[in-house]
Amino acid sequence: MNAHAMKPPSRLLFALELRAFPELGGFVASLPLLTALAPRGDGHPVLVLPGLVTSDRSTVPLRSFLKGRGYATYGWALGRNYGPLPGFEQKMLDRVKKLADKHGRKVSLVGWSLGGIYARQLAKMLPDEVRGVITLGSPFNGDPRATNAWKLYEFTSGHKVDDRERHMGGAISDSPPVPTTAIFSRSDGICAWQNCVENDLPHTESIEVEASHCGLGHHPAVVYAVADRLAQPEGQWKKFDRSGFKALFYPDPKRA
């Protein structure tokens, strides 16, 4: 498919983003089950980056759960995400370096939407400090206008979406040199899901869920998948196993 022929999600899907509220309720209700099923972590640092015009408050549910599973979790601590404003790229680089130095370990990066694009670019620039990357509905492939938020991005950041290849780390569509997982939803009402799928490489993967874009940070299936990916021993990364009961919650991302 021609990348420039891609369109943003329909108005219906956009309206269905209101699902994010019941999805948050579903997260709260499923906490006992998630706690029982999700593997515990090894204590390494995890930095969670928020989406466009949101702040660390939006990632509290995910960070709190991961903290309970044994990780040292952090928000990006830069207020609302209005895009790559002057000085923000260096501040993000410094934060990753400081966390790696503080813990004496590599940092896992989890980014929601625009935050996932940051995470990928940070990993390209700091491969020795980053353990792995997980993106949640991040449109790093295809036409940058195939979202319902590109005009908002241009307004808040002062950047044109066509300039996105000129930011830190080089071409956004290139995969990071570390294990990378892209979590996406075909019913995403903000970003065309096709643009949120990772390139097919030995160290990359895509995991499909049934969720809204605005609910990806707390949807139970997403939270479990993030915890599962983070729990892998360093240097022993394997692709997500969706066999057994997990096939009920994680469709085959390669289906037509």
Side-chain angles (χ1 to χ4, degrees):
M1 180 179 293
N2 185 340
H4 294 286
M6 193 72 65
K7 296 182 179 180
S10 67
R11 291 182 180 179
L12 175 59
L13 284 177
F14 183 71
L16 288 174
E17 283 298 308
L18 291 173
R19 289 174 294 160
F21 294 104
E23 285 169 346
L24 179 58
F27 165 74
V28 174
S30 66
L31 274 174
L33 184 60
L34 283 171
T35 301
L37 294 178
R40 289 197 60 83
D42 61 1
H44 78 269
V46 178
L47 176 61
V48 185
L49 305 169
L52 180 64
V53 302
T54 66
S55 68
D56 286 332
R57 292 183 62 182
S58 68
T59 64
V60 166
L62 178 58
R63 287 187 286 118
S64 297
F65 180 79
L66 295 177
K67 182 178 180 180
R69 302 314 294 159
Y71 298 99
T73 60
Y74 297 89
W76 81 327
L78 289 174
R80 287 194 177 274
N81 182 356
Y82 291 122
L85 301 178
F88 269 40
E89 294 177 350
Q90 187 59 52
K91 289 178 181 178
M92 287 189 286
L93 289 167
D94 291 343
R95 185 140 176 82
V96 174
K97 292 176 183 177
K98 289 179 180 178
L99 290 178
D101 289 343
K102 175 181 178 179
H103 291 272
R105 306 181 68 177
K106 292 183 177 182
V107 182
S108 288
L109 304 179
V110 181
W112 190 350
S113 196
L114 179 59
I117 294 177
Y118 294 160
R120 289 165 58 87
Q121 302 308 96
L122 289 167
K124 295 171 191 177
M125 298 185 72
L126 300 171
D128 293 333
E129 285 84 10
V130 175
R131 176 165 168 164
V133 172
I134 302 173
T135 62
L136 313 179
S138 300
F140 48 81
N141 273 319
D143 188 345
R145 289 180 173 78
T147 82
N148 284 312
W150 71 269
K151 291 182 179 179
L152 178 61
Y153 170 83
E154 290 192 340
F155 176 76
T156 61
S157 70
H159 290 277
K160 296 296 183 181
V161 290
D162 293 327
D163 294 337
R164 66 181 193 165
E165 305 300 323
R166 303 177 187 177
H167 299 312
M168 61 177 185
I172 290 175
S173 58
D174 291 344
S175 298
V178 299
T180 302
T181 299
I183 298 178
F184 72 96
S185 170
R186 297 192 189 215
S187 60
D188 190 316
I190 303 297
C191 302
W193 67 266
Q194 296 91 336
N195 291 356
C196 305
V197 177
E198 186 50 75
N199 304 310
D200 190 10
L201 300 170
H203 68 285
T204 67
E205 65 180 350
S206 298
I207 300 175
E208 182 180 350
V209 296
E210 296 290 346
S212 67
H213 182 89
C214 296
L216 284 169
H218 51 251
H219 190 284
V222 176
V223 173
Y224 175 85
V226 171
D228 178 88
R229 302 291 76 203
L230 292 175
Q232 297 180 98
E234 187 173 353
Q236 300 179 37
W237 187 87
K238 295 181 180 179
K239 299 197 178 193
F240 185 65
D241 178 10
R242 50 176 293 277
S243 63
F245 80 92
K246 286 183 281 190
L248 298 174
F249 304 99
Y250 303 99
D252 182 358
K254 294 184 179 180
R255 74 185 192 279

